[in-house]
Amino acid sequence: MPLTPLDIHNKEFTRSFRGYDEDEVNEFLDQVIKDYEAVLREKKDLFEQVSALDEKLEHFTNIEETLNKSILVAQESADEVRRNAQKESQLIVKEAEKNANRIVNEALSKSRKVMMEMEELKKQASVYKMRFKMLIEAQMEMLQTDDWEELAEEGEVDEQALFSEQGQS
């Protein structure tokens, strides 16, 4: 069991004939008591500091563990978000490719349809041109026949008859 300052203070020494000077011993003991009390106070203060530091260390250790767990959770969340974003971007790209293919196919289909319509219009224009040409040629042939002169002569005769009939009335 360690000594206390009270144990030192209450210590009684036996007296001998040629013993130490009592005042000197008491003075020394008083100094030892003071130093011992100071050491005990310092020990108590240091123990309290160590306890407080142990509590802080435990607190900071808990914070560190919590932060480490939070970092792991954040990393896992970030990885999950990254994976989801990659999946979503792949889906968007696939959808865009599908839409692009659909648009290209529709454009090709419309282009083919327009080309077919254009070919049909060319054929129709060619047929119309040929028919119109044939009509004009037929009309030209009719104009070049002698039938027009005969019609013109008949018209004059009919006109004279008409005027003579009108004059008689």
Side-chain angles (χ1 to χ4, degrees):
M1 183 128 186
L3 288 175
T4 65
L6 191 59
D7 291 336
I8 295 171
H9 182 66
N10 291 335
K11 177 66 176 163
E12 295 277 333
F13 294 98
T14 56
R15 296 189 186 259
S16 68
F17 172 65
R18 293 187 132 198
Y20 295 107
D21 181 5
E22 189 176 328
D23 289 338
E24 204 176 308
V25 168
N26 284 338
E27 207 174 286
F28 179 76
L29 285 176
D30 286 342
Q31 184 62 41
V32 168
I33 288 170
K34 285 180 190 176
D35 289 348
Y36 194 65
E37 283 177 341
V39 167
L40 286 178
R41 271 194 306 276
E42 185 179 356
K43 179 185 172 192
K44 181 183 174 192
D45 290 345
L46 290 174
F47 182 77
E48 288 173 358
Q49 283 180 354
V50 166
S51 294
L53 290 174
D54 280 344
E55 286 177 19
K56 284 184 180 181
L57 178 63
E58 185 177 338
H59 175 71
F60 288 124
T61 302
N62 287 339
I63 289 174
E64 180 185 21
E65 289 175 9
T66 303
L67 287 174
N68 285 337
K69 289 177 183 177
S70 297
I71 289 171
L72 287 175
V73 168
Q75 286 175 339
E76 289 173 0
S77 295
D79 290 342
E80 183 68 24
V81 166
R82 189 179 305 111
R83 282 191 299 271
N84 287 341
Q86 285 175 341
K87 286 179 184 176
E88 189 173 338
S89 68
Q90 288 172 349
L91 288 174
I92 289 170
V93 167
K94 284 182 183 178
E95 187 67 28
E97 286 173 351
K98 283 181 186 177
N99 285 339
N101 286 337
R102 180 183 51 78
I103 290 169
V104 167
N105 287 337
E106 286 176 1
L108 286 173
S109 175
K110 287 180 181 178
S111 172
R112 285 187 200 111
K113 185 177 178 182
V114 167
M115 292 296 285
M116 288 171 45
E117 288 175 358
M118 191 172 76
E119 288 299 320
E120 183 63 30
L121 287 173
K122 282 181 182 180
K123 286 179 187 176
Q124 288 177 2
S126 178
V127 168
Y128 178 75
K129 180 182 174 186
M130 191 178 353
R131 285 184 182 168
F132 192 64
K133 185 178 178 184
M134 287 172 55
L135 178 66
I136 290 174
E137 286 174 356
Q139 294 295 318
M140 289 295 290
E141 282 179 23
M142 278 174 60
L143 287 173
Q144 291 172 357
T145 63
D146 293 332
D147 293 342
W148 283 101
E149 290 174 17
E150 289 174 14
L151 284 174
E153 289 174 6
E154 286 177 17
E156 287 177 14
V157 171
D158 287 341
E159 251 179 53
Q160 290 173 359
L162 244 174
F163 283 126
S164 62
E165 285 179 16
Q166 284 179 359
Q168 291 176 352
S169 17

